């Protein structure tokens, strides 16, 4: 179509098939590797629901990203860069730092126009998601992270509201040797990244302090961004059986300009442009967040461990929006949030059922957030008046329990439940008038989320599991902020009539290690929801939501890791998913009533994804927990994604083209490590989109002006220098 970039998306029809064949060529037979492999894959302990367990034995789909993978991603700015290899995860980099990356897990969170919702974000045991399910991935400090865990499937429901999946990040801890680290990166489109990190241990106290900066001019007009971040973790081993962890995180983004999305016609004309309304309205966002937390762990005895956490912080957010037909001068929105919470947890193990083992956990989470929401009209990117002023609050009081029951040598029964109480309320602080009455309101949501699963340990190297569970997702405060008072009228009043979406999950999976150097994970899942929260009307930068439809999501996920030898390793992951509406409904978007048909595909969810990676190390890859080997390393990745819709109606007319075609993209990484005296120095070069294909990196779901598309970057480069010096 003439509405698409000329080179774009002209991927071969069988791009995913080609990638799969590459995967097969990269991963020869298990028998061959059993004969030739000299290095074993590392086994790690993960959060299997709320219980720690070896990843291979966990009765759930758990994907881990280690420190080396994080560092190999380059500047370590966008969490989406390392989530591409996680099965079931759609990680879209908007290349727009005013709106954060777009992440969904098995379809949950796909409708988000900004930030993260529908999935839970946790950092060092401290929630990064608010009680209403809203979170921000930009506050994760990747430069100091030691690993990332992604939990999908029914066991994720044990984390409560909006836990269609869980992403946990863990900051590295100080080693025995004091060390200073410096990273400096420069790249295409005016990108610069610096990081200074110190780790030191003195007696029973360890500290990691990390300060990083990031700046980019941007590929598109009006996309300049500046930000800096401090992340510090202090661990105190107060007694042999008691550990205290202090977490401090400060994120400051003085500005991130917003180029906004493009229509298909604008994208074809010039993908690097920003629409005129973005330039005229100086669309941008300013964010600052400060958060502190304390986690205390106490081991009573070998069969009982206690944990407590308390945290608090504040966040300010000021955003200037573009002019629209209903608001021809533009608008602004300001949020000033305070949040806090605590959690208590007991973990233990006992002998039951004729000396069979049972591991268990019980706990409670109590969280609260309140924010002063203000808004009004703007002209030329500056405030002109205030038309909205209200205090929004979200809180939860939850209780959970999980038990893994050992039933003989070959079976493990997993049971658990979470009882959740979520309250959303708003107090209107504006003067009331007949035309603008009191917009205050409140609503309470209650849900019990049970899970039940069985694992068959068929062999020492083969596990088969089946899980089922129930979950729920309340609207966020942003989704409750507007009420549809007439078929075409949106009022800035709290909407207490939205129901929580309910979901039923079923998962069948297997984990197989045909050799010590090969690991294969596969899972099939089906998710059915009712009262799905959908767009009812979108106009002038305002969106009102409603409960309109149920959905069905079913799919297959596959992951393979292979250590060919000490010098070669590779991995692949694939996701095949259908996500459709079960019932038809109507909404009012783009100035007209639209009929969403039963069977339509949910937007922002590609049906197929593939990731493959091949890596080589001159001196051999180091074992887990050890410093990477000196010498030369190289890596080549393939990312392939099928097309995805940008709106509920799946429209493909010339005037409303909403299909982002699929693509495949090659990325390359080169590293060279040297020892210079006491210093360890590393040079890094990375090139993304080697073949310079035109791509759409993300979509803005149901965008009211049909500006659905956010273009991906052309061929881009980054160079870095990393130095580690013992102190």
């Amino acid at each position: 179509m003439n509405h698409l970039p000329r080179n774009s998306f002209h991927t071969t029809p069988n791009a995913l098939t080609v990638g799969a064949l590459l995967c097969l060529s990269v991963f020869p037979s298990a028998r061959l590797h059993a004969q030739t492999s000299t290095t074993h894959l590392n086994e790690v302990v993960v959060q299997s629901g709320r219980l720690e367990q070896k990843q291979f034995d966990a009765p759930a789909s758990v994907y881990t990203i280690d420190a080396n993978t994080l560092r190999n991603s380059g500047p370590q700015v966008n969490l989406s860069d390392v989530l591409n290899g996680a099965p079931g995860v759609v990680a879209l980099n908007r290349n727009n730092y005013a709106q954060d990356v777009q992440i969904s897990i098995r379809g949950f969170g796909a409708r988000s126009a900004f930030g993260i919702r529908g999935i839970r974000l946790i950092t060092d045991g401290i929630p990064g998601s608010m009680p209403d399910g809203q979170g921000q991935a930009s506050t994760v400090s990747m430069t100091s992270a030691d690993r990332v865990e992604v939990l999908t499937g029914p066991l994720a429901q044990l984390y409560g509201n909006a836990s269609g999946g869980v992403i946990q990040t863990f900051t590295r801890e100080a080693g025995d040797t004091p060390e200073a680290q410096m990273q400096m990166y420069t790249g295409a489109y005016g990108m610069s990244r610096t990081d200074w990190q110190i780790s030191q241990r003195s007696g029973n106290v360890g500290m990691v302090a990390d300060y990083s900066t990031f700046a980019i001019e941007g590929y598109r007009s009006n996309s300049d961004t500046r930000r800096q971040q401090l992340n510090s973790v202090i661990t105190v081993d107060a007694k042999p059986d008691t550990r205290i962890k202090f977490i401090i995180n400060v994120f400051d983004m003085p500005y991130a300009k917003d180029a906004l999305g493009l229509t298909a016609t604008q994208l074809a004309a010039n993908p690097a442009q920003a629409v005129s309304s973005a330039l005229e309205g100086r669309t941008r966002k300013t964010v600052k967040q400060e958060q502190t937390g304390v986690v205390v762990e106490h081991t009573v005895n070998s069969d009982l461990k206690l944990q407590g956490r308390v945290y608090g912080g504040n966040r300010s957010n000021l955003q200037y929006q573009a002019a629209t037909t209903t608001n021809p001068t533009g608008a602004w929105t300001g949020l000033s949030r305070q949040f806090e919470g605590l959690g208590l947890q007991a973990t233990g193990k006992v002998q039951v059922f004729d000396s069979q083992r049972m591991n268990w956990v019980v706990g409670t989470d109590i969280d609260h957030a309140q924010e002063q929401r203000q808004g009004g009209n703007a002209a030329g990117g500056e405030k002109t008046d205030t038309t909205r002023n209200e205090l929004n609050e979200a809180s939860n009081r939850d209780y959970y329990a999980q038990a893994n029951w050992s039933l003989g040598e070959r079976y493990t029964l997993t049971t658990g439940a979470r009882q959740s109480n979520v309250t959303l309320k708003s107090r209107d602080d504006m003067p009331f008038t007949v035309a603008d009455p009191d917009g205050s309101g409140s609503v309470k949501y209650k849900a019990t989320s049970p899970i039940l699963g069985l694992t068959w340990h068929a062999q020492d190297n083969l596990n088969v599991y089946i899980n089922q569970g129930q979950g729920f997702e309340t609207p966020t405060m942003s989704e409750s902020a507007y009420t549809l008072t007439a078929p075409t009228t949106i009022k800035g009043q709290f909407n207490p009539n939205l129901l929580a979406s309910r979901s039923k999950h079923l998962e069948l999976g297997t984990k197989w290690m045909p050799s010590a150097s090969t690991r294969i994970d596969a899972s099939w899942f089906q998710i059915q929801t009712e009262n799905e929260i959908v767009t009812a009307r979108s106009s002038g930068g305002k969106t009102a939501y409603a409960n309109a439809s149920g959905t069905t999501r079913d799919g297959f996920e596959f992951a393979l890791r292979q250590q060919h030898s000490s010098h070669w390793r590779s991995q692949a992951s694939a996701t095949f998913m259908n996500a459709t509406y079960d019932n038809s409904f109507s909404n009012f978007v783009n100035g007209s009533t639209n009929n969403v048909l039963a069977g339509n595909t949910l937007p922002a969810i590609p049906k197929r994804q593939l990731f493959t990676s091949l890596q080589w190390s001159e001196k051999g890859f180091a074992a887990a927990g050890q410093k990477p080997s000196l010498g030369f390393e190289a890596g080549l990745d393939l990312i392939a994604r099928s097309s995805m819709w940008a709106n509920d109606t799946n429209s493909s007319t010339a005037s409303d083209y909403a299909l982002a075609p699929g693509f495949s993209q090659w990325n390359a990484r080169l590293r060279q490590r040297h020892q210079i005296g006491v210093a360890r120095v590393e040079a890094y070069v990375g090139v993304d989109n080697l073949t310079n294909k035109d791509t759409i990196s993300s979509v803005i779901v149901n965008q009211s002006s049909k500006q659905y598309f956010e273009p991906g970057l052309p061929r881009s480069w980054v160079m870095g220098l990393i130095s580690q010096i013992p102190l």
Side-chain angles (χ1 to χ4, degrees):
M1 293 188 59
N2 60 359
H3 298 285
L4 299 175
R6 189 179 48 203
N7 292 323
S8 79
F9 326 128
H10 280 187
T11 65
T12 59
N14 296 318
L16 294 180
T17 304
V18 172
L21 292 175
L22 171 67
C23 170
L24 293 176
S25 68
V26 169
F27 305 108
S29 71
R31 178 177 298 179
L32 174 62
H33 290 298
Q35 295 172 350
T36 63
S37 178
T38 60
T39 304
H40 295 179
L41 292 174
N42 298 311
E43 183 59 274
V44 295
V45 175
V46 298
Q47 289 289 328
S48 173
R50 307 295 301 219
L51 284 169
E52 287 188 345
Q53 195 172 7
K54 287 185 178 180
Q55 183 183 20
F56 182 73
D57 293 326
S61 298
V62 185
Y63 186 85
T64 60
I65 302 167
D66 60 19
N68 185 67
T69 303
L70 291 168
R71 306 297 172 260
N72 200 45
S73 68
Q76 304 148 66
V77 176
N78 300 301
L79 196 57
S80 56
D81 292 342
V82 296
L83 290 175
N84 282 313
V89 177
V90 178
L92 307 178
N93 183 359
R94 298 182 187 274
N95 298 302
N96 180 350
Y97 296 93
Q99 303 298 343
D100 213 341
V101 295
Q102 186 179 27
I103 300 174
S104 64
I105 296 179
R106 294 185 177 178
F108 291 98
R111 73 175 184 272
S112 177
F114 61 91
I116 291 179
R117 65 188 67 181
I119 56 180
R120 280 280 154 186
L121 184 63
I122 301 172
T123 302
D124 293 311
I126 303 298
S129 300
M130 296 297 101
D132 64 344
Q134 182 74 52
Q136 283 78 31
S138 59
T139 57
V140 173
S141 175
M142 292 178 63
T143 50
S144 55
D146 180 63
R147 73 181 191 279
V148 178
E149 294 180 10
V150 181
L151 172 65
T152 62
L155 266 65
Q157 308 311 311
L158 292 174
Y159 288 85
N161 176 31
S163 55
V166 181
I167 299 174
Q168 296 202 59
T169 63
F170 301 85
T171 301
R172 62 174 290 229
E173 293 191 7
D176 294 332
T177 302
E179 183 180 75
Q181 176 177 283
M182 179 273 293
Q183 300 184 66
M184 298 184 67
Y185 291 91
T186 186
Y189 312 113
M191 190 277 290
S192 65
R193 170 73 155 169
T194 66
D195 179 69
W196 292 269
Q197 188 176 138
I198 296 177
S199 65
Q200 184 171 1
R201 180 169 293 278
S202 177
N204 62 348
V205 179
M207 180 192 71
V208 172
D210 180 274
Y211 176 73
S212 60
T213 68
F214 171 71
I216 191 168
E217 297 295 330
Y219 163 59
R220 300 177 61 194
S221 302
N222 202 59
S223 57
D224 185 13
T225 298
R226 298 290 184 274
R227 72 189 199 191
Q228 51 264 351
Q229 184 170 17
L230 170 67
N231 188 61
S232 180
V233 174
I234 301 172
T235 56
V236 180
D237 294 311
K239 296 180 180 179
D241 54 7
T242 304
R243 161 168 278 207
I244 305 172
K245 181 183 292 186
F246 299 91
I247 301 106
I248 301 171
N249 187 283
V250 178
F251 176 84
D252 183 18
M253 186 168 70
Y255 65 87
K257 297 180 181 179
D258 190 349
L260 304 179
L262 300 175
T263 65
T265 301
Q266 293 167 338
L267 186 70
N270 179 13
Q273 69 174 305
V275 293
S276 58
S277 58
L279 301 175
E280 295 166 359
R282 297 169 54 215
T283 51
R284 65 197 186 277
K285 179 185 285 187
T286 298
V287 176
K288 186 169 185 179
Q289 177 170 306
E290 300 175 346
Q291 179 172 299
T292 59
V294 180
V295 179
V296 181
E297 296 180 348
H298 175 68
T299 301
V300 178
N301 54 49
S302 60
D303 294 334
L304 180 62
K305 184 167 74 172
L306 305 177
Q307 183 190 87
R309 62 170 173 82
V310 61
Y311 70 95
N314 58 76
R315 178 182 177 90
S316 61
N317 185 322
L318 177 60
Q319 181 175 9
Y320 288 90
Q321 300 169 320
T324 65
T325 54
T326 57
N327 189 346
T329 62
W332 66 275
T333 300
L335 306 174
S336 180
R337 175 188 300 164
Q338 292 183 328
F339 54 91
E340 61 278 330
L342 62 89
L344 299 172
Q345 178 176 295
T347 307
K349 54 185 177 180
V350 295
Q351 300 290 330
V352 296
F353 296 150
D354 194 22
S355 298
Q356 298 300 322
R357 299 185 311 276
M358 183 184 77
N359 296 330
W360 59 268
V361 60
V362 296
T364 182
D365 291 327
I366 302 173
D367 306 284
H368 176 261
Q370 69 175 30
E371 62 186 19
Q372 196 73 33
R373 175 189 293 267
Q374 296 179 315
N377 297 305
E382 298 296 335
K383 300 177 184 179
T384 57
D385 61 15
T386 298
T387 60
R388 186 166 193 176
N389 185 17
E390 62 193 37
L391 181 68
N392 299 153
E393 289 189 71
S395 61
N396 69 271
R397 184 183 297 270
D398 293 10
Y399 306 92
Y400 60 87
Q402 181 186 350
N404 288 350
W405 309 68
S406 176
L407 306 178
E409 291 291 329
R410 292 298 181 184
Y411 295 93
T412 300
L413 178 68
T414 300
T415 61
R418 184 175 181 115
Q419 204 281 325
S420 299
N421 297 272
V422 179
T423 300
L424 306 181
K425 59 183 178 180
S426 178
R427 185 191 70 201
D428 192 344
D429 291 336
M430 288 292 291
F432 309 147
T433 65
V434 175
D436 187 15
D438 185 5
S440 303
S442 66
V443 61
K444 293 184 178 181
Y445 300 96
K446 295 184 178 181
T448 299
S449 303
I451 61 102
L452 179 66
L454 181 67
T455 302
W456 175 35
H457 307 282
Q459 299 178 13
D460 290 343
N461 66 342
L462 176 63
N463 290 328
V464 180
Y465 63 90
I466 184 170
N467 290 322
Q468 62 177 353
Q470 297 179 13
F472 79 112
E473 180 181 354
T474 72
T476 64
M477 289 301 303
S478 295
E479 291 169 338
S480 299
Y482 295 98
T483 297
L484 193 61
T485 58
T488 61
T489 303
I490 299 177
K491 285 288 188 180
Q493 300 173 351
F494 180 79
N495 183 0
N497 299 316
L498 282 173
L499 303 175
S501 173
R502 307 282 176 156
S503 56
K504 295 181 179 179
H505 303 247
L506 177 63
E507 177 183 50
L508 175 64
T510 182
K511 300 179 181 182
W512 182 37
M513 296 188 67
S515 73
S517 59
T518 307
R519 166 76 178 270
I520 300 173
D521 292 8
S523 63
W524 168 87
F525 64 89
Q526 183 180 75
I527 304 168
Q528 293 183 313
T529 70
E530 59 182 17
N531 294 324
E532 186 80 15
I533 300 171
V534 299
T535 299
R537 173 175 167 79
S538 182
S539 176
K542 302 175 182 179
T543 301
Y545 292 85
N547 300 102
S549 177
T551 68
T552 297
R553 308 166 197 184
D554 55 72
F556 176 77
E557 299 167 355
F558 172 84
L560 189 153
R561 298 194 183 199
Q562 177 68 57
Q563 189 79 42
H564 302 271
S565 70
S566 60
H567 299 276
W568 290 91
R569 67 185 181 190
S570 52
Q571 70 178 91
S573 65
T575 302
F576 304 87
M577 178 167 54
N578 287 314
T580 58
Y581 287 111
D582 294 338
N583 313 106
S584 60
F585 63 95
S586 297
N587 60 26
F588 191 87
V589 183
N590 300 334
S592 61
T593 299
N594 305 288
N595 295 318
V596 180
L597 303 179
N600 275 17
T601 298
L602 272 68
I605 304 175
K607 291 186 176 182
R608 298 178 302 279
Q609 284 193 139
L610 175 70
F611 172 83
T612 63
S613 177
L614 179 64
Q615 300 173 23
W616 174 77
S617 173
E618 177 188 5
K619 300 294 181 64
F621 293 102
Q626 298 182 1
K627 288 184 178 296
S629 303
L630 299 176
F632 186 71
E633 285 185 6
L636 182 65
D637 299 343
L638 169 66
I639 300 172
R641 182 181 300 135
S642 66
S643 61
M644 57 184 175
W645 292 102
N647 64 4
D648 290 328
T649 54
N650 296 177
S651 57
S652 57
T653 63
S655 61
D656 188 10
Y657 194 83
L659 181 65
F663 64 89
S664 58
Q665 177 176 306
W666 294 92
N667 303 326
R669 304 282 185 267
L670 302 175
R671 287 178 176 272
Q672 179 71 52
R673 299 186 182 96
H674 295 280
Q675 190 73 36
I676 304 177
V678 297
R680 188 182 182 92
V681 179
E682 176 179 324
Y684 174 94
V685 177
V687 180
D688 287 344
N689 196 2
L690 282 167
T691 57
N692 198 33
K693 288 190 175 182
D694 293 333
T695 63
I696 291 176
S697 61
S698 68
V699 294
I700 305 173
V701 174
N702 292 322
Q703 210 280 335
S704 60
S705 300
K706 309 175 189 177
Q707 296 167 202
Y708 303 119
F709 305 114
E710 294 182 291
L713 299 182
R715 183 188 298 116
S716 57
W717 58 271
V718 62
M719 295 189 298
L721 185 66
I722 301 96
S723 177
Q724 295 175 324
I725 304 174
L727 299 176

